[in-house]
Amino acid sequence: MSTKPLAAFDANVRLGRLANSRGPWFRGADELLAAMDELGVDRALVYGALAKESDVLRGNALLQEQIQGEARLIPCWVGIPNREPCRDLIARMREHSIPALRLFPQTSHFSIRPWCCEALAKALSEEGKVLMVDFDGPGWSNDGIDWEGIQQLCLAVPELKLVVCGVTMASPPNYEAFIRQCPNLHLEISELVSPGEIKRLVEAGLGLQLIFGSNLPKRHAGAALTMVGLENLKAEARDLILNGNLQRLLMLSEENEPVVPIREIPHFPDVVDTHVHFGGWNYSAAASGRPADTVRDMDRCGIQSAIVTSLWSCFGEVPLGNADVAEATKAFPGRIYGYLTLDPKHPDEFREQIDRYRGDPGFRGIKLHCGTHGIRLNDPQCREILEFANEKKIPLLIHEEFDLPEWKDLCLSHPDATFIVAHVGGGGPDHAPARELARLSRTVDNLYFDLAATRNFYGFLEDLVELAGPEKILYGSDHPLMDFGFELGQIFFSGIGEAEKQMILSGNARRIFKLN
Ligand SMILES: [Zn+2]
């Protein structure tokens, strides 16, 4: 066994600016290396933004110029099948010592299936080069990956070293069907956020097929690092995922000592997750959403308390889900608290639910999932619930993409209720509304937001803290859709102060929900 300090080798990093990017980006090697130092990432496989979006030839050449002489940055060219004879591309890759080629089938409008990519895949395979495939998926539950095409390509070129980037929680049913038959198929884990999925794959003997990647600078590398770090993997399996597997694929000579050792996952004594679910959402396969399993996952990730709403209630079985939550608050006192989830479209039912759980100390707030229940928050049917929350000074967690002036009016007209906007209203750095919401929350006392499923945009938390102030931000995970560690990572690894981190991790929640 190696005694070397553990290092992280990031398979998924971009240099240069994308046209529509409002988030941070790396102008050159110096900026990228400084970020890697900060994050505890030793080496990175890097592709160029210009090569992805505009011009593979000029973009790949630009990448070469930008990272020349930097041993920690390994170049990955971007390619397009059938643009030129394969032997010409391979010859140039050989000449410039390029160990990997990245394809963007979605962005560049081609198919990954053998009829289009087999010749290129064979040429890469014969040369021992790695093929990175990135479908640049549209969302957390939709990675846009053509799994049928990937499967066909793996079977057509079995020696091809293939890495599929951006695999999300929606993919396990697809890759599960054939990953064991394709030992050269590898999954890059930046979006593989289902709780326990990485460990499940390791225990199934598939640890050699997992590759650490962050998708910097879009995503925060702290997210994937924290997820892996909290998985309780054996050191050997963890080192392979974080470093060894990619090094082996790229056939790089082993480094003696990492320049930058990996950062320890920090320990915070108190963490309260304000956005947890029981029940399942069919996209997310790994976690059960059963209370005992959730508490076990909380123990693994250092979460003291969680405030939970049932997914059954967020869909059609509102009383069934609330009963499940009520039972869990009694089975796990102090660990599990509940939101009473209500569907404003059914007044008889929500009045009965309010009566049933009135005075139950397990419930600390109300959840309105306007998204799944298909009702706007300014619909007259919501009025009675909002007035009740205002009268009883109850916090409301609300999932709705709502206009800012509407939020402002709502908060001001219900000054004794606390409004928590789930998922920062659903936006990341390319969503100006999230920033506007954060800005508004600084001036509206009873307006807060949670970080659940905001998906760790790099630099986003620092922006939110600056715009809203740390006292307006709540840690939330969206477990069991996402691992606790995924959103913890952006807080743990962010550049904000320790006191601010503690406010976001638990202080604000304990104050708002009156938890002891
Ligand atoms: Zn949620």
Side-chain angles (χ1 to χ4, degrees), residues 98-177:
I98 307 299
L101 189 72
R102 189 168 175 124
L103 300 182
F104 292 95
Q106 207 65 32
T107 316
S108 305
H109 307 292
F110 60 82
S111 169
I112 196 64
R113 296 184 181 206
W115 58 263
C116 183
C117 285
E118 184 172 350
L120 177 59
K122 272 204 174 112
L124 290 166
S125 162
E126 280 160 16
E127 198 75 11
K129 308 282 186 208
V130 176
L131 179 61
M132 311 284 295
V133 180
D134 185 347
F135 282 85
D136 214 5
W140 55 273
S141 59
N142 180 5
D143 50 29
I145 295 171
D146 174 12
W147 282 110
E148 193 167 343
I150 295 289
Q151 188 237 17
Q152 289 176 13
L153 196 64
C154 285
L155 296 178
V157 191
E159 301 302 318
L160 173 68
K161 296 185 283 191
L162 180 63
V163 179
V164 183
C165 299
V167 176
T168 71
M169 65 180 76
S171 275
N174 293 299
Y175 62 66
E176 185 69 19

Side-chain angles (χ1 to χ4, degrees), residues 275-277 281 309 311 314 367 369 397 399 422-423 452-453 478 481:
H275 192 136
V276 172
H277 297 285
W281 195 322
T309 172
L311 288 166
C314 293
K367 167 88 182 240
H369 204 302
L397 176 63
H399 181 123
H423 319 299
D478 228 352
L481 281 81

Side-chain angles (χ1 to χ4, degrees), residues 1 37 58 81 144 156 194 214 254-255 283 331 385 432 442-443 453 462 500 503:
M1 270 274 287
D37 291 349
R58 186 65 190 103
S194 286
S214 68
E254 223 171 286
E255 301 283 310
Y283 297 140
I385 296 172
R442 192 182 273 281
T443 59
E462 286 85 343
E500 292 168 318
M503 289 167 83

Side-chain angles (χ1 to χ4, degrees), residues 226 230 263 265-266 268 271 488-494 501 505:
T226 302
L230 294 176
R263 263 174 68 172
I265 309 295
F268 282 84
V271 180
L488 281 177
Q490 70 168 332
I491 303 171
F492 286 173
F493 281 70
S494 77
K501 288 179 187 172
L505 287 168

Side-chain angles (χ1 to χ4, degrees), residues 234-386:
K234 291 205 177 87
E236 195 181 354
R238 184 196 54 194
D239 292 1
L240 284 170
I241 295 170
L242 291 179
N243 190 351
N245 290 339
L246 183 59
Q247 169 149 320
R248 184 187 71 247
L249 287 188
L250 296 172
M251 299 189 296
L252 299 176
S253 59
E254 223 171 286
E255 301 283 310
N256 292 329
E257 290 282 320
V259 178
V260 180
I262 201 160
R263 263 174 68 172
E264 293 264 339
I265 309 295
H267 173 75
F268 282 84
D270 188 28
V271 180
V272 177
D273 190 329
T274 62
H275 192 136
V276 172
H277 297 285
F278 289 154
W281 195 322
N282 290 341
Y283 297 140
S284 183
S288 74
R290 300 312 308 131
D293 294 335
T294 302
V295 171
R296 198 163 45 237
D297 243 10
M298 290 165 62
D299 291 342
R300 168 173 72 81
C301 297
I303 313 285
Q304 272 60 52
S305 302
I307 314 174
V308 181
T309 172
S310 172
L311 288 166
W312 302 338
S313 310
C314 293
F315 290 97
E317 295 289 347
V318 175
L320 188 75
N322 286 333
D324 192 45
V325 172
E327 204 177 300
T329 63
K330 290 173 182 64
F332 302 100
R335 304 295 305 280
I336 300 295
Y337 296 95
Y339 293 99
L340 188 66
T341 306
L342 302 172
D343 183 345
K345 301 193 302 298
H346 300 283
D348 290 348
E349 180 187 86
F350 77 64
R351 285 178 199 136
E352 187 277 333
Q353 290 286 291
I354 286 173
D355 278 347
R356 179 184 293 263
Y357 296 109
R358 194 186 288 269
D360 184 329
F363 284 103
R364 297 299 172 116
I366 289 174
K367 167 88 182 240
L368 297 181
H369 204 302
C370 299
T372 51
H373 286 151
I375 185 164
R376 297 293 312 274
L377 197 53
N378 57 0
D379 189 294
Q381 288 189 293
C382 295
R383 215 173 278 155
E384 189 176 326
I385 296 172
L386 297 174

Side-chain angles (χ1 to χ4, degrees), residues 395-473:
L396 289 147
L397 176 63
I398 295 174
H399 181 123
E400 156 133 345
E401 286 168 32
F402 205 52
D403 288 346
L404 286 177
E406 292 176 319
W407 276 120
K408 187 175 178 180
D409 285 351
L410 195 75
C411 290
L412 295 181
S413 58
H414 300 83
D416 292 326
T418 299
F419 290 86
I420 302 164
V421 184
H423 319 299
V424 203
D430 294 320
H431 292 241
R435 290 161 188 274
E436 293 306 317
L437 178 77
R439 196 173 282 127
L440 178 67
S441 77
R442 192 182 273 281
T443 59
V444 176
D445 281 350
N446 55 339
L447 181 60
Y448 293 76
F449 51 87
D450 79 33
L451 297 173
T454 44
R455 301 176 70 226
N456 293 298
F457 291 101
Y458 184 54
F460 190 42
L461 181 61
E462 286 85 343
D463 282 358
L464 294 177
V465 169
E466 198 184 312
L467 291 168
E471 62 282 349
K472 286 308 184 81
I473 307 174

Side-chain angles (χ1 to χ4, degrees), residues 23-92:
W25 56 285
F26 304 120
R27 285 169 181 79
D30 288 355
E31 285 187 8
L32 171 54
L33 287 166
M36 288 163 61
D37 291 349
E38 178 78 27
L39 294 161
V41 172
D42 188 44
R43 287 184 291 173
L45 182 65
V46 185
Y47 70 94
L50 189 71
K52 174 190 174 183
E53 278 193 328
S54 164
D55 183 333
V56 289
L57 285 178
R58 186 65 190 103
N60 289 336
L62 181 64
L63 177 77
Q64 290 291 102
E65 293 159 22
Q66 287 173 316
I67 68 173
Q68 185 121 45
E70 299 292 352
R72 293 169 61 198
L73 305 180
I74 316 299
C76 178
W77 277 5
V78 177
I80 295 176
N82 311 315
R83 176 67 63 84
E84 62 181 318
C86 294
R87 63 176 179 279
D88 294 355
L89 173 61
I90 297 292
R92 282 189 290 114

